[in-house]
Amino acid sequence: MEGSPATKKSKPDQKKLPQPPSTPPHDPTTESTSSPPPTETKSLLSRPHKDSIHGTLAVAMALLSEGPQGEGAVLLDQAGQFIAARARAPLMDAAAALLYDHGLHACAGGTLFLANFPQTEDTIKLLFQANLKRIVLVPVAMTVPQEANKGLPAEPTGGTLPQEANKGLPAEPTGETLPQEANKGLPAEPTGGTLPQEANKGLPAEPAGGNQIIWSRLSRSSPTMVSTLIPEINFPSEKTPVADSIGTPGKVAEKRSDRWYATQDWISSMKLLTEDKMKQLVADYEDMHQEASKSFKAFQKALLNLLWFTPDFSSEKLRPTDLKHLKSSFGRDSRLYGPWAAQESCQELDMMDIVGYLVTYLVSLRSEDSDRRVGAALVQDDVLISYGYNAFRSQATHFDLPRTKKQSQQHTTKYPYVIHAECNAVLFSKVTNLGEARIYTNYFPCLSCFRILEYKKIRDIRTQGISKWNYDDYEKDFAHSQAEFQLGFTGRKEQPSRATSDTRPKKLEL
Ligand SMILES: O=c1ccn([C@H]2C[C@H](O)[C@@H](COP(=O)(O)O)O2)c(=O)[nH]1
């Protein structure tokens, strides 16, 4: 996602205006690869590679498709900035819809993640026309329609790419390779916030006539694809509680040895899952996929289960309250109970909600604040148009910032340096008219984010939890509730837990 570049119109009184920063705005969705920080500080954060996030978004979008085979696509521009993600429309492949929505100029030199191969030959032609630099195929379904394959290098059976096509690409990781490993050799991510023209500098020159498409895959098979969703595992340093590094809520060990063992346990359980259960899940998935042409619901269910049972999704925080709800059949318009909702306030979610929450969760994994990872996703007309997570502002990196929360030492806290997830989602949206947009967040937005959402007329706010922010005094909390109320809050919200419901002011009746 790129922040809209400041329009450089020369105005007579420009000298009086605040000058734009000499460096481009910080884009939290990119990370510097040029000067890796010291290993000790690096272990403060574990973040999945952007490719994993975008590949998974494509899969999530495929869940929303209608038709015999799900298809989802995610488009990034040439600087690697997110443009949009969407599912197949009834008469249009997801990839084609993105190209038509955003135009070839936005796509040239860009990257397209495809969960399942587009089914029509017209779309393949369009992919060549788009001069994309990279197409990442996420093989959620193992079959590539013969029709669609026309004109492309022939694929040997078993789904591997021909050696020719693989030339120059890194060897694909096998089985249980961790994401860090798997990412080695992938094209370096651009450094923060560069404008497309700038970002192009140093990239290999496009051959005359364009059309240099590098076919790459997140992985050869679903197990590896799923394993790339797991955040990098760094052995925690003294500074890092286990909860930060391995994402196990409520399991913060005090001593180094405890942390170490907790991490070990987690790794072995992950391995167990990768090697045994995951194989089983994938086998089930493949079996069910055979049935997919007969029953699309089965495909959706299998895919969702596959995502669901990765360690992250089955963590305590995200555990479905009752798996039997998931096991029931559902389609685009059917309802099911929200896995994130507390038992006493089980909420109904539709497929877009599930995908919305999945996206907020995924992007929150990229958060630069290891204390609290917040994710936000903007959706308009069932298209994911932007996302954001809490990240440190321009010219500040997560390696040298204060992390303390103590209000008595305001200048040493992290807060002045953090841009909130919702702000980033809005700031980096390429769609500027957000009146019809809906926002998903994994935490209840704070008051300042509410102001921004109100300003942008985003009134459909769907959130997974009650407010977690510490408002020191009643006024602030009250103002927050009022703002929420005045907005005409349309989102679904969990009931406050007993602990907080007593202290929160009652909503006003208008
Ligand atoms: O609406 C919100 C509120 C807060 N955030 C971010 C800002 C910080 O990075 C964390 C809060 O940290 P604590 O340690 O829990 O105080 O969340 C946000 O993105 N959106």
Side-chain angles (χ1 to χ4, degrees), residues 2 77-81 190-191 194-203:
E2 176 61 70
D77 70 11
Q78 59 178 325
Q81 313 296 336
T191 52
T194 34
L195 302 177
Q197 293 85 338
E198 283 303 300
N200 229 1
K201 276 184 195 161
L203 284 178

Side-chain angles (χ1 to χ4, degrees), residues 24-30 44-45 47 192-193 366-372 389-404 412-421 424 427-428:
H26 174 57
D27 174 5
T29 67
T30 59
L44 282 170
L45 283 170
R47 309 168 76 204
R366 296 268 305 163
S367 167
E368 292 173 354
D369 182 347
S370 56
D371 286 343
R372 191 183 296 280
Y389 48 82
N390 51 335
F392 291 114
R393 66 178 204 218
S394 182
Q395 296 170 50
T397 74
H398 49 274
F399 299 113
D400 54 19
L401 281 169
R403 290 171 173 274
T404 175
T412 60
T413 67
K414 64 185 174 180
Y415 300 105
Y417 300 95
V418 182
I419 311 283
H420 290 191
N424 276 325
L427 286 171
F428 285 94

Side-chain angles (χ1 to χ4, degrees), residues 100-379:
Y100 284 122
D101 284 351
H102 299 279
L104 293 183
H105 291 297
C107 306
T111 301
L112 192 67
F113 287 78
L114 292 175
N116 276 340
F117 210 78
Q119 289 189 314
T120 59
E121 208 172 325
D122 278 354
T123 305
I124 311 298
K125 274 190 277 185
L126 214 58
L127 291 181
F128 280 98
Q129 180 75 348
N131 283 330
L132 290 153
K133 190 176 69 190
R134 198 159 69 107
I135 296 178
V136 182
L137 186 59
V138 187
V140 287
M142 305 301 168
T143 52
V144 176
Q146 287 310 307
E147 262 318 283
N149 238 353
K150 268 188 196 162
L152 290 173
E155 262 199 298
T157 48
T160 44
L161 284 174
Q163 287 312 309
E164 257 328 277
N166 263 344
K167 261 188 195 163
L169 289 176
E172 287 188 74
T174 51
E176 58 191 81
T177 320
L178 294 177
Q180 223 169 1
E181 281 305 304
N183 282 336
K184 267 189 198 160
L186 284 176
E189 291 188 62
T191 52
T194 34
L195 302 177
Q197 293 85 338
E198 283 303 300
N200 229 1
K201 276 184 195 161
L203 284 178
E206 291 280 319
N211 284 356
Q212 191 203 23
I213 299 181
I214 303 170
W215 291 88
S216 60
R217 286 173 179 239
L218 275 184
S219 63
R220 187 169 284 142
S221 60
S222 291
T224 322
M225 189 274 287
V226 174
S227 76
T228 63
L229 308 181
I230 300 163
E232 290 169 20
I233 298 171
N234 293 306
F235 283 95
S237 71
E238 284 300 324
K239 293 177 193 165
T240 320
V242 170
D244 288 348
S245 348
I246 63 171
T248 312
K251 212 177 174 184
V252 183
E254 293 301 320
K255 293 175 195 162
R256 187 189 178 94
S257 55
D258 290 348
R259 288 190 206 128
W260 194 85
Y261 284 115
T263 311
Q264 285 295 306
D265 284 354
W266 192 80
I267 291 173
S268 29
S269 67
M270 188 193 80
K271 277 187 181 155
L272 205 72
L273 189 70
T274 308
E275 288 166 5
D276 300 321
K277 182 154 187 174
M278 197 63 87
K279 267 186 198 155
Q280 184 53 50
L281 282 167
V282 170
D284 291 350
Y285 163 73
E286 281 173 353
D287 283 350
M288 293 182 88
H289 180 65
Q290 300 301 317
E291 300 296 308
S293 51
K294 293 180 200 152
S295 158
F296 182 57
K297 278 181 183 174
F299 163 70
Q300 283 186 315
K301 194 166 73 171
L303 186 54
L304 194 64
N305 279 340
L306 189 64
L307 282 172
W308 220 259
F309 284 102
T310 64
D312 282 309
F313 292 109
S314 59
S315 74
E316 200 185 318
K317 189 173 137 208
L318 299 168
R319 189 184 297 281
T321 47
D322 190 346
L323 274 177
K324 75 171 183 276
H325 291 302
L326 277 178
K327 302 226 187 300
S328 65
S329 256
F330 57 85
R332 173 73 185 87
D333 297 320
S334 59
R335 321 284 293 178
L336 81 159
Y337 286 100
W340 292 280
Q343 192 73 53
E344 69 273 16
S345 61
C346 229
Q347 305 284 345
E348 276 199 345
L349 304 175
D350 65 17
M351 282 302 292
M352 189 68 230
D353 288 337
I354 291 176
V355 171
Y357 288 130
L358 186 66
V359 171
T360 61
Y361 169 66
L362 284 171
V363 300
S364 77
L365 295 177
R366 296 268 305 163
S367 167
E368 292 173 354
D369 182 347
S370 56
D371 286 343
R372 191 183 296 280
R373 296 167 197 259
V374 189
L378 278 172
V379 169

Side-chain angles (χ1 to χ4, degrees), residues 405-413:
K405 301 179 188 181
K406 282 182 191 154
Q407 295 301 312
S408 55
Q409 300 163 330
Q410 185 59 36
H411 63 290
T412 60
T413 67

